[in-house]
């Protein structure tokens, strides 16, 4: 699991349990009501500290997560570019733009595109029909990142693959009755091997 | 003479509103089990219990379950609030009946569209899928679905406008939004439910207008053949959907503000803080929906960041004002815990837990890997199923018990509540685990690499069964009282 | 251990064999992904009006499209430049001052600035300052430079011509942004390249034309995103809501007050 998501899950479990605990405590307190006394005010005193803590937590969340937004910024150079076109019900990947349905069909059935490991790969993702979600998973079902494939637009997704192997793009936006079967494959090879192949080709 | 006339009028109104509430509630008793069981069926299919189940059926059921549940709890929330409001203002019973009739027509159209027409583009009918189904469903199914939504949109817009009209009859706008509290005044006194309902109705109007714009653009595409901008359509549909779900939540909260004090014998009054909180909500609810478009990298970055800010800070008023006050209200206090009050109160717990999950997912960096995974249905089911649904079910029981005078069976009620809590949170925990394992949502079947989705669905069948028994017990206890209330 | 190594070698061979098919097309045209975002050599060039300058001098001013030809070419050079000219005019209109250059260099050591000037004239481009025709000042550097672009050329004695592919390379800040290959440069592909070399990050391209109510319009000429009518539509619901809410409260309140007044009047009359 990506570290940030592991932290997110841990934070969620912590707060969910805390909330259950707080509710259990407050509900059990109604079993022995303090007759005649008004505890509302004494609890209400905690409101200001609670507000401040919550605010600080949220601000901390913003400060920690906003620098990690996945949108590519100006002047960020990838090491290689892969073009992706989604269409019911396949993703086609290529090193050249896929503009026509014939090209999409040809590429969707072709051998997977190869990219080097440990390098920034830019995916230029679009769709030839409806909205799709281009989500890259490794062989263990771990999600590396995603972007929407939207007709008429090209979304640019930057991904670094740490390990060589086959990675699968699943569709993450409902696109019809075979939505769950839609995919595309990319092969990640060692950088050394990749270089060797280039030399070999030249 | 005049006083007697006013009293007679009040009695007459009460009888009218009661009848209205009874009838609407009857509709809930039919639709809730059906839509709930459809949800159960989807988990069974995902658990590969019926390997031959056609996926296109799954997606039409998904669509019906989603749009049906959101619509159902909105209308039932509205009627609950109208019942509670009628103590202070007089919404027109005629408009509610009009709305009821049109809701039935709209629901019928949507059921025909999804069941007979196999329309399966999801509740959010993301453009351009509805008319590009790869020939799974015919275009008339989409037409019916959109017309159905249009009918509901018209009926509900008229409905919320009438509620606002009723409030406007008694309060000015700045009173209804409690601005005089912000200025330090406490006169005239404003019941919090008026404030919340005003905020809700204003929000509802923006949401419905977005839906109108969306439907008109669909129509424009259908008639002229000129494609619409998918980015614009996505913005509009999520604006509409997000606002509708949020305000439904607020209807539940309105119920809480009005009914919980009846069980604790403590007043829940508007003050500066409450006023400030709900005005903030009215503002932020318009921007939070941007988090649905985080993975559309073409959306201007500023919108995305505004989305994260709005989604983060909208949790503050909810937590600091509503949830905190609800807890403070019961602390060491004698509470009359019935099935109704327990469910209403525990609804706030679902709101809190779901809120934490929502805030986490509304961080763009986290959403990069949680977007459209099971984490999403996990969080919204937490504050829907375990939140507003419990509040509204609690209200229905509260209402039925009040009018039937059948005393609460506290042991059975306790048992029911525990079944709902264990079944509900168990079911949700499977969704959350799925999210943590990056299992995609809206999958009829899971590919081998994501087989954990299948396992989790199978485990959740156990919890959903417990939940179903819990709701069944609830229905038995409530329907008995409801039937006696006529 | 030995077996493992053997297996790896065997697998490697299979992998190489598979690549053999794609090798052919690779040798004909450079595969963009291998060269993209790599720096190019900063060579000195002599332009068709006999000025000595360097490529860095150009890319420090504006990004450029680079293409390689030779003046005696009887093959694709002339049609390539013609189609490039046609597509550029199609995209940017007939504006004289573009915010990018088009650099046409000769890889033929026999070419002189005068040859390039004549070539430029033949294409009706002699008046155009944004079109820079030139030769390499240092002939020794041609091979290294073209290799780094994935470009190759071979002298074929029988026809007295160079054999070479047609490519157009987008250069920004001395880096390869895009490579277009083939004898004909289409408008669609070139538009993307021009978008890219402007230096600004292009978040999206318009693939579909003729879309109603766009949220955002990307202008490939200025590289700026303009807010479209679609964005305004997004604000309409909020705007109308204000309108409706105020109307309800103002009218409903007024009617109510009038009713109250008439009621009190009635009571007084009674």
């Amino acid at each position: 699991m990506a570290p940030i998501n592991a932290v997110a899950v841990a934070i969620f479990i912590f707060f969910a349990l805390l909330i259950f605990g707080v509710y259990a405590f407050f509900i059990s307190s109604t079993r022995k009501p303090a007759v005649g006394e008004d505890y509302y005010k004494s609890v209400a005193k905690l409101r200001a500290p609670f507000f401040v803590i919550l605010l600080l937590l949220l601000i901390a969340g913003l400060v920690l997560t906003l620098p990690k937004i996945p949108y590519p910024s100006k002047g960020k150079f990838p090491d290689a570019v892969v073009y992706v076109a989604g269409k019911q019900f396949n993703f086609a990947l290529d090193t050249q733009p896929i503009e026509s349905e014939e090209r999409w069909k040809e590429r969707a059935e072709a051998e997977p595109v190869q990219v080097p490991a440990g390098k920034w790969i830019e995916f230029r993702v679009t769709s030839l029909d409806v909205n799709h979600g281009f989500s890259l998973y490794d062989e263990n079902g771990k999600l590396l990142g995603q972007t929407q494939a939207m007709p008429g637009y090209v979304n640019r997704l930057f991904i670094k693959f740490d390990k060589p192997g086959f990675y699968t793009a699943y569709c993450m936006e409902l696109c019809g009755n075979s939505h769950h079967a839609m995919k595309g494959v990319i092969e990640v090879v060692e950088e050394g091997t990749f270089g060797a192949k280039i030399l070999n080709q030249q | 003479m005049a006083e007697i006339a006013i009293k007679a009028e009040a009695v007459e109104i009460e009888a009218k509103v009661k009848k209205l509430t009874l009838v609407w509630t009857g509709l809930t008793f039919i639709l809730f089990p059906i839509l709930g069981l459809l949800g159960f069926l989807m988990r069974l299919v995902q658990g590969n219990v019926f390997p031959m189940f056609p996926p296109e059926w799954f997606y039409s059921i998904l669509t019906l379950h989603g749009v049906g549940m959101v619509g159902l709890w909105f209308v039932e929330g509205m009627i609950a609030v109208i019942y509670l409001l009628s103590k202070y203002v007089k919404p027109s019973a005629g408009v509610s009946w009009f709305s009821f009739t049109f809701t039935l027509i709209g629901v019928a159209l949507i059921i025909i569209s999804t069941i007979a027409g196999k329309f399966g583009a999801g509740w959010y009918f993301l453009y351009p899928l509805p008319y590009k189904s790869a020939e799974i469903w015919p275009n008339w199914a989409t037409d019916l679905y959109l017309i159905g939504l249009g009918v509901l949109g018209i009926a509900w817009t008229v409905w919320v406008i009438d509620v606002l009209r009723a409030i406007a009859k008694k309060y000015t706008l700045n009173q209804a939004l409690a601005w005089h509290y912000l200025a330090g005044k406490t006169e005239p006194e404003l019941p919090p439910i008026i404030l919340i309902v005003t905020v809700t109705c204003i929000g509802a109007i923006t949401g419905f207008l977005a839906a109108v714009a969306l439907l008109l653009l669909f129509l424009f595409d259908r008639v002229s053949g000129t494609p619409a901008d998918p980015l614009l359509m996505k913005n509009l549909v999520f604006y509409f959907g997000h606002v509708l779900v949020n305000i439904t939540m607020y209807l539940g909260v309105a119920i809480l503000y009005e009914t919980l004090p009846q069980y604790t014998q403590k007043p829940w009054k508007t003050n500066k803080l409450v006023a400030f909180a709900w005005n903030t909500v009215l503002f932020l609810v318009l921007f939070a929906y941007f988090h649905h478009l985080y993975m559309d990298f073409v959306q201007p970055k500023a919108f995305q960041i505004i989305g994260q800010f709005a989604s983060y800070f909208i949790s503050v008023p909810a937590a600091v004002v509503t949830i905190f006050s609800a807890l403070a209200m019961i602390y060491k206090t004698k509470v009359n815990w019935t099935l109704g009050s327990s469910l209403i109160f525990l609804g706030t717990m679902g709101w809190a837990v779901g809120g934490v999950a929502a805030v986490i997912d509304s961080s763009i960096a986290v959403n990069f890997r949680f977007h459209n995974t099971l984490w999403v249905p996990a969080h919204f089911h937490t504050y829907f199923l375990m939140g507003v649904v419990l509040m509204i079910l609690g209200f229905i029981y509260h209402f039925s018990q009040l009018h039937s005078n059948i005393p609460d069976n506290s042991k059975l009620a306790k048992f029911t509540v525990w079944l709902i809590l264990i079944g509900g949170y168990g079911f949700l925990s499977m969704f959350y685990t799925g999210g943590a394992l990056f299992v995609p949502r809206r999958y009829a079947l899971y590919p081998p690499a994501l087989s954990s989705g299948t396992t989790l669905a199978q485990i959740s069948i156990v919890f959903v069964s417990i939940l179903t028994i819990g709701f069944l017990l609830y229905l038995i206890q409530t329907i008995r009282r409801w039937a006696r209330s006529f | 251990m030995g077996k493992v190594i053997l297996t790896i070698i065997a697998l490697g061979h299979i992998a190489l064999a598979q690549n053999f098919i794609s090798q052919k097309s690779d040798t004909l045209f450079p595969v963009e992904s291998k060269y993209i975002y790599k720096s190019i050599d900063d060579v000195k060039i002599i332009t068709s009006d006999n000025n000595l300058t360097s490529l860095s001098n150009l890319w420090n001013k504006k990004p450029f499209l680079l293409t390689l030809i030779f003046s005696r070419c009887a093959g694709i050079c002339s049609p390539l430049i013609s189609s490039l000219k046609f597509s550029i005019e199609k995209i940017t209109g007939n504006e004289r001052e573009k915010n990018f250059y088009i650099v046409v260099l000769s890889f033929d050591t026999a070419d002189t600035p005068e040859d390039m000037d004549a070539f430029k004239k033949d294409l009706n481009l002699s008046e155009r300052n944004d079109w820079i025709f030139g030769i390499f000042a240092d002939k020794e550097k041609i091979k290294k430079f073209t290799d780094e672009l994935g470009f190759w050329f071979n002298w074929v004695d029988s026809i007295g011509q160079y054999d070479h592919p047609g490519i157009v390379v987008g250069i920004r800040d001395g880096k390869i942004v895009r490579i277009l290959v083939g004898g004909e440069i289409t408008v669609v592909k070139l538009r993307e390249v021009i978008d890219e070399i402007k230096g600004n990050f292009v978040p999206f391209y318009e693939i579909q034309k003729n879309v109603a109510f766009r949220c955002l319009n990307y202008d490939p000429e200025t590289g700026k995103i303009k807010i479209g009518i679609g964005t305004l539509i997004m604000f309409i619901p909020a705007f109308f809501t204000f309108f409706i809410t105020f109307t309800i409260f103002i009218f409903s309140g007024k009617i109510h007050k009038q009713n109250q007044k008439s009621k009190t009047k009635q009571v007084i009359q009674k």
Side-chain angles (χ1 to χ4, degrees), chain B residues 244-260:
Chain B
L244 181 60
V245 170
N246 265 244
I247 58 169
T248 305
M249 191 68 232
Y250 302 150
L251 291 174
V253 179
I255 293 170
L256 173 82
Y257 273 74
E258 193 60 29
T259 51
L260 190 64

Side-chain angles (χ1 to χ4, degrees), chain B residues 62-361:
Chain B
L62 178 85
T63 307
L64 183 57
H65 173 83
V67 74
M69 281 295 194
V70 170
L72 171 66
W73 299 115
F74 171 73
V75 293
E76 189 56 34
M78 275 297 283
I79 206 66
V81 159
I82 285 175
Y83 171 82
L84 295 169
L85 268 185
S86 62
K87 218 160 88 183
Y88 311 103
V89 296
K90 292 171 218 154
S92 153
V95 170
S96 284
W97 285 117
F98 161 83
S99 172
F100 182 73
T101 319
F102 272 71
T103 302
L104 287 183
I105 297 170
V107 168
L109 288 174
I110 288 172
I111 289 174
I112 296 168
S113 157
T114 50
I115 299 301
K118 296 268 180 302
F119 179 77
W123 72 264
Y124 63 136
F125 53 104
L126 205 52
Y127 180 86
L129 179 60
Y131 288 111
K132 287 187 179 177
S133 69
E135 282 162 22
I136 298 305
W137 62 84
N139 281 351
W140 64 257
T142 306
D143 292 339
L144 274 194
Y145 184 82
L146 297 179
I147 294 169
L149 280 189
V151 170
L152 293 179
I154 292 165
W156 297 350
T157 311
V158 173
W159 210 13
V160 292
I161 286 179
D162 180 67
V163 172
L164 271 187
R165 180 203 54 80
I167 292 172
K169 237 178 163 181
K170 194 167 173 186
Y171 303 94
T172 63
L173 184 58
N174 60 351
Q175 286 168 351
L177 288 173
W179 288 349
H180 57 296
Y181 284 89
L182 294 179
K185 291 177 203 154
T186 50
E187 289 293 325
E189 197 186 337
L190 183 78
I193 188 170
I194 302 276
L195 168 63
I196 301 169
V197 172
T198 307
V199 168
T200 307
C201 289
I202 294 175
I205 294 174
T206 63
F208 294 146
L209 286 178
V212 169
L214 182 68
L215 292 176
L216 287 177
L217 285 169
F218 262 103
L219 187 69
F220 183 76
D221 177 12
R222 188 101 166 96
V223 173
S224 75
T226 314
D229 182 355
L231 183 64
L232 171 64
M233 301 299 262
K234 215 180 235 183
N235 271 287
L236 287 173
V237 78
F238 283 120
Y239 183 89
F240 153 68
H242 188 85
V243 168
L244 181 60
V245 170
N246 265 244
I247 58 169
T248 305
M249 191 68 232
Y250 302 150
L251 291 174
V253 179
I255 293 170
L256 173 82
Y257 273 74
E258 193 60 29
T259 51
L260 190 64
Q262 298 180 28
Y263 292 91
T264 58
Q265 308 301 329
K266 276 182 186 169
W268 199 335
K269 283 186 178 165
T270 308
N271 55 34
K272 213 180 215 175
L273 197 63
V274 172
F276 185 73
W278 284 97
N279 279 284
T280 317
V281 165
L282 178 58
F283 177 73
L284 289 177
V285 77
L286 304 179
F287 301 101
Y289 89 91
F290 283 135
H291 60 224
H292 291 271
L293 284 100
Y294 280 164
M295 289 305 115
D296 288 286
F297 291 13
V298 297
Q299 179 96 331
K301 215 191 245 180
F303 286 7
Q304 313 286 31
I305 290 169
I306 290 172
Q308 183 168 345
F309 270 86
S311 312
Y312 264 51
F313 291 113
I314 204 166
S315 68
V316 178
V320 174
V321 179
T322 304
I323 294 171
F324 188 92
S325 300
L327 285 168
M329 185 165 277
I330 66 155
Y331 183 65
K332 290 207 176 176
T333 303
K334 189 172 177 299
V335 182
N336 176 17
W337 290 120
T338 65
L339 184 57
S341 61
S342 313
L343 290 179
I344 292 171
F345 183 75
L346 286 169
T348 65
M349 185 166 84
W351 197 21
V353 177
V356 174
V359 166
I360 286 172
D361 192 31

Side-chain angles (χ1 to χ4, degrees), chain A residues 23 29-30 47 65 71 88 131 137 143-144 146-148 150 153 155-156 171-173 179-180, chain B residues 59 124 127 132 229 234 294-298 308 320 330 332 337 348 369 371-372 438 442-443:
Chain A
Y23 269 78
S29 81
T30 64
R47 196 192 299 266
T65 62
Y71 311 125
Q88 288 161 333
N131 284 281
Y137 283 82
L143 178 59
L144 301 176
Q146 61 175 315
T147 189
Q148 291 265 310
M150 199 195 253
Y153 292 94
N155 285 331
R156 302 171 70 166
C171 182
M172 284 274 233
E173 196 63 75
H179 160 59
H180 55 277
Chain B
Y59 294 116
Y124 63 136
Y127 180 86
K132 287 187 179 177
D229 182 355
K234 215 180 235 183
Y294 280 164
M295 289 305 115
D296 288 286
F297 291 13
V298 297
Q308 183 168 345
V320 174
I330 66 155
K332 290 207 176 176
W337 290 120
T348 65
R369 290 185 196 84
H371 189 85
N372 279 349
F438 308 118
R442 297 195 182 111
Y443 264 34

Side-chain angles (χ1 to χ4, degrees), chain A residues 4 60-69, chain B residues 308 312 363-366:
Chain A
I4 187 164
L62 284 171
V63 171
L64 291 173
T65 62
L66 277 180
K68 291 187 192 273
I69 53 173
Chain B
Q308 183 168 345
Y312 264 51
S363 316
I364 302 168
V366 176

Side-chain angles (χ1 to χ4, degrees), chain C residues 150-169:
Chain C
F151 181 85
W152 54 266
F153 53 96
N154 293 316
W155 180 255
V156 184
D157 250 344
S158 57
I159 51 168
Q161 287 273 313
Y162 281 105
D163 185 15
H164 67 101
I167 69 168
V168 175
V169 187

Side-chain angles (χ1 to χ4, degrees), chain A residues 84-105:
Chain A
V84 181
K87 191 174 150 359
Q88 288 161 333
F89 295 96
N90 254 315
F91 283 113
L93 292 87
D94 196 9
T95 51
Q96 292 286 319
I98 301 162
E99 279 139 3
S100 63
E101 302 211 346
E102 293 74 40
R103 281 265 298 132
W104 171 85
K105 197 167 186 309

